[in-house]
């Protein structure tokens, strides 16, 4: 149907709305409303709205991710260029100079070994000692020094905890949710225990607390020790990298020179890569621990 107005032809658009599709058993399309022209063409409004909303949610997700990474990148750049040098001049460089004047390399290696081995039994963090090992010995000897000392550091609390087994078990009973994952590590066969201990070491569960709690979960010493060594490898490499990074920034600050553009780029890239890798590994470990709780155990 058309209208004639001032000798011009104006087409009429006819739209038909259809409803009552809830109980349509033939095609199972459910409740929707069609907007159609005279020939019956059109799209479903609910699908259009769904795809429109989904597209915008994905878009805004990536916008927020880009803004977050940009913010942290600028923050890291500011720390490297301004905050880092000031902190280096006032704190780090004097400590490094004192360490160099006071201890020889063999004596420092013994002190670092003793601190990494004994501090966990005393409920003290050993990460600063790992940083110093990275600053002084680098990846090769630094890794060997830390991993051997860590073997002692996780064994002493395990042996000491066996003397207070009942008290530790009572403490775990007060926190059933958190203790469920730890108790799962003491079940199953040798490989199950090794895998569970490895994932616990990678996960954000407090390192020092698990050293004492492990014996109360009836995990055997063999899988406990080997799983601890494997699970601590990422943390050790991150600590060594942190020490090397501190040493690089300290050397640049003491020589009164600024890092070149490639050095800044590689430093920021390495730092961001270490953070991202740590987050990914941690999330993976938490998910795998959740899966292991639901798996059937092998005798």
């Amino acid at each position: 149907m058309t209208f004639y107005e001032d000798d011009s032809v104006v087409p009429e658009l006819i739209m038909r709305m259809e409803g009552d599709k809830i109980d349509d058993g033939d095609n199972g399309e459910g409740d929707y409303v069609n907007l159609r022209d005279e020939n019956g063409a059109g799209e479903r409004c609910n699908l259009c709205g769904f795809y429109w909303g989904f597209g915008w949610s994905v878009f805004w997700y990536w916008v927020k991710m880009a803004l977050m990474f940009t913010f942290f990148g600028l923050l890291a750049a500011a720390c490297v260029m301004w905050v880092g040098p000031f902190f280096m001049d006032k704190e780090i460089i004097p400590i490094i100079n004192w360490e160099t004047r006071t201890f020889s390399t063999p004596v420092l290696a013994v002190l670092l070994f003793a601190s990494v081995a004994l501090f966990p039994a005393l409920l003290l963090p050993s990460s600063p000692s790992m940083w110093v090992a990275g600053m002084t010995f680098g990846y090769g000897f630094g890794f060997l020094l830390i991993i051997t000392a860590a073997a002692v550091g996780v064994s002493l609390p395990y042996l000491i905890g066996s003397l207070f087994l009942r008290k530790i078990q009572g403490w775990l009973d007060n926190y059933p949710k958190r203790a469920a994952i730890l108790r799962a590590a003491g079940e199953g066969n040798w490989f199950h225990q090794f895998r569970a201990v490895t994932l616990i070491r990678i996960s954000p569960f407090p390192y020092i607390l698990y050293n004492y709690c492990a014996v109360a979960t009836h995990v055997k010493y063999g899988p406990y020790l080997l799983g601890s060594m494997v699970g601590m490898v990422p943390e050790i490499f991150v600590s060594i990298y942190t020490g090397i990074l501190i040493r690089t920034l300290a050397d640049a600050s003491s020589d009164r020179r600024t890092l070149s553009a490639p050095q800044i780029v590689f430093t920021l890239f390495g730092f961001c890569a270490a953070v991202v890798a740590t987050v990914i590994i941690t999330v993976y470990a938490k998910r795998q621990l959740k899966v292991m709780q639901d798996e059937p155990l092998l005798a």
Side-chain angles (χ1 to χ4, degrees):
M1 180 177 179
T2 57
F3 294 98
Y4 295 89
E5 181 179 355
D6 298 334
D7 296 332
S8 61
V9 179
V10 179
E12 178 188 13
L13 176 63
I14 299 177
M15 303 183 67
R16 182 170 65 246
M17 300 183 65
E18 295 182 357
D20 300 330
K21 295 289 185 177
I22 297 178
D23 298 325
D24 191 352
D26 296 334
N27 49 21
E29 291 176 341
D31 186 15
Y32 64 88
V33 176
N34 281 351
L35 298 180
R36 300 176 181 272
D37 58 14
E38 189 176 11
N39 296 324
E43 295 291 337
R44 294 180 184 176
C45 290
N46 60 342
L47 290 179
C48 293
F50 171 77
Y51 288 120
W52 178 265
F54 178 76
W56 273 106
S57 63
V58 172
F59 172 76
W60 282 113
Y61 170 80
W62 286 109
V63 168
K64 289 187 288 186
M65 291 294 292
L67 292 175
M68 183 183 68
F69 279 108
T70 302
F71 170 77
F72 283 111
L74 294 175
L75 181 63
C79 291
V80 170
M81 297 179 65
W82 294 293
V83 180
F86 176 80
F87 186 71
M88 292 295 169
D89 291 337
K90 299 299 182 181
E91 300 293 338
I92 301 299
I93 293 177
I95 292 176
I96 293 176
N97 292 335
W98 172 81
E99 167 198 313
T100 304
R101 291 192 306 264
T102 306
F103 305 108
S104 63
T105 301
V107 173
L108 184 60
V110 172
L111 291 177
L112 292 176
F113 182 92
S115 62
V116 175
L118 298 178
F119 279 7
L122 302 175
L123 302 180
L124 297 174
S126 57
S127 295
S129 299
M130 297 183 186
W131 299 343
V132 176
M135 285 190 293
T136 308
F137 303 107
Y139 285 107
F141 185 73
F143 176 80
L144 294 177
L145 176 67
I146 294 173
I147 197 69
T148 52
V152 180
V154 299
S155 298
L156 287 178
Y158 184 90
L159 299 176
I160 295 173
S162 62
L163 303 176
F164 306 95
L165 182 60
R166 293 188 179 276
K167 290 186 177 180
I168 297 176
Q169 287 177 338
W171 180 81
L172 291 177
D173 291 337
N174 295 329
Y175 303 92
K177 278 190 174 182
R178 297 180 181 180
I181 296 177
L182 304 184
R183 296 187 190 280
E187 301 173 350
N189 56 18
W190 193 96
F191 180 75
H192 177 90
Q193 294 184 2
F194 161 75
R195 182 186 173 198
V197 172
T198 301
L199 293 174
I200 290 174
R201 289 300 188 187
I202 297 174
S203 70
F205 190 86
Y207 164 81
I208 296 177
L209 290 181
Y210 183 65
N211 292 338
Y212 282 98
C213 294
V215 67
T217 62
H218 303 295
V219 62
K220 296 179 180 178
Y221 178 73
Y224 166 77
L225 178 61
L226 188 58
S228 297
M229 296 297 96
V230 175
M232 290 177 62
V233 168
E235 178 189 358
I236 292 175
F237 273 109
V238 170
S239 299
I240 293 175
Y241 172 78
T242 303
I244 294 175
L245 178 61
I246 293 174
R247 185 77 192 208
T248 301
L249 297 177
D251 291 341
S253 180
S254 62
D255 295 339
R256 301 302 175 185
R257 60 181 175 85
T258 59
L259 296 177
S260 63
Q263 286 178 315
I264 294 176
V265 170
F266 283 120
T267 300
L268 293 178
F269 177 79
F271 176 78
C272 293
V275 171
V276 171
T278 303
V279 171
I280 292 175
I281 292 174
T282 302
V283 172
Y284 171 79
K286 290 179 66 176
R287 290 181 178 178
Q288 289 300 311
L289 283 173
K290 184 64 177 177
V291 171
M292 287 186 65
Q293 286 184 280
D294 302 329
E295 283 183 350
L297 299 177
L298 299 176

